[in-house]
Amino acid sequence: MERLKDLIARTAQPGRVTWIGLRSVRRAEMDSVAAACVTPDGVQGDHARPGKRAVTLIQHEHLSVIGAMLGRDPVAPQVMRRNIVVAGVNLAALKGRRIVIGGAVLEITTICAPCSRMEEALGAGGYSAVRGHGGWCARVITPGEIALGAAVHPD
């Protein structure tokens, strides 16, 4: 019988980056980019918070879930205001672990809770629709370049 620790450490496949976004100042619109440099303080050009919330990530698959909770199509990534959208790997399963994205290494630190702007952006019930699906915050361990299509896997 396999140990729980071994089961938790395993992923079925690497994920991939499907979207990258930056916002130059607080409350600014998100700009979609094809590539970005992750610095020790976060994604270069983004209004980031150094430390354990330097980079924000969200599951691509959760965009459909949030949309379904609102009775509509998947939510656009820029609405969620996260830096990196990842498909194909469960970010929740990587909490507390280091992950490689392109040339950068991040550590998934804490859940990225929805903010009151979700009601503004998504309408009534937006905040509740995002709860549990709002993504994750990460600390930068090793700076590097990331790009659309980059593999995402445990370090």
Side-chain angles (χ1 to χ4, degrees):
M1 181 154 81
E2 291 190 74
R3 297 181 332 182
L4 182 59
K5 179 181 177 182
D6 295 330
L7 295 172
I8 290 170
R10 189 177 310 146
T11 58
Q13 64 183 0
R16 71 185 188 295
V17 175
T18 62
W19 188 84
I20 303 168
L22 312 170
R23 63 205 186 293
S24 58
V25 296
R26 188 174 180 273
R27 295 189 65 85
E29 294 296 320
M30 295 293 288
D31 292 321
S32 177
V33 297
C37 180
V38 176
T39 72
D41 292 334
V43 182
Q44 189 172 22
D46 186 60
H47 172 71
R49 303 167 90 178
K52 69 179 187 174
R53 297 177 184 269
V55 178
T56 57
L57 303 98
I58 190 168
Q59 279 302 143
H60 171 82
E61 294 81 358
H62 287 201
L63 300 175
S64 294
V65 173
I66 295 165
M69 301 279 188
L70 296 166
R72 58 186 187 205
D73 290 337
V75 174
Q78 60 269 29
V79 172
M80 298 308 302
R81 307 187 62 73
R82 304 300 182 244
N83 298 124
I84 303 169
V85 178
V86 173
V89 67
N90 185 353
L91 291 173
L94 299 171
K95 181 180 186 273
R97 295 179 63 193
R98 290 181 178 187
I99 61 170
V100 177
I101 302 180
V105 178
L106 307 177
E107 178 183 24
I108 305 294
T109 57
T110 188
I111 199 161
C112 195
C115 68
S116 61
R117 290 209 52 203
M118 292 300 99
E119 289 286 308
E120 182 182 317
L122 299 170
Y127 180 88
S128 290
V130 174
R131 289 189 70 199
H133 305 286
W136 294 88
C137 298
R139 171 188 339 270
V140 178
I141 303 301
T142 305
E145 295 288 325
I146 60 169
L148 294 177
V152 179
H153 58 85
D155 188 17

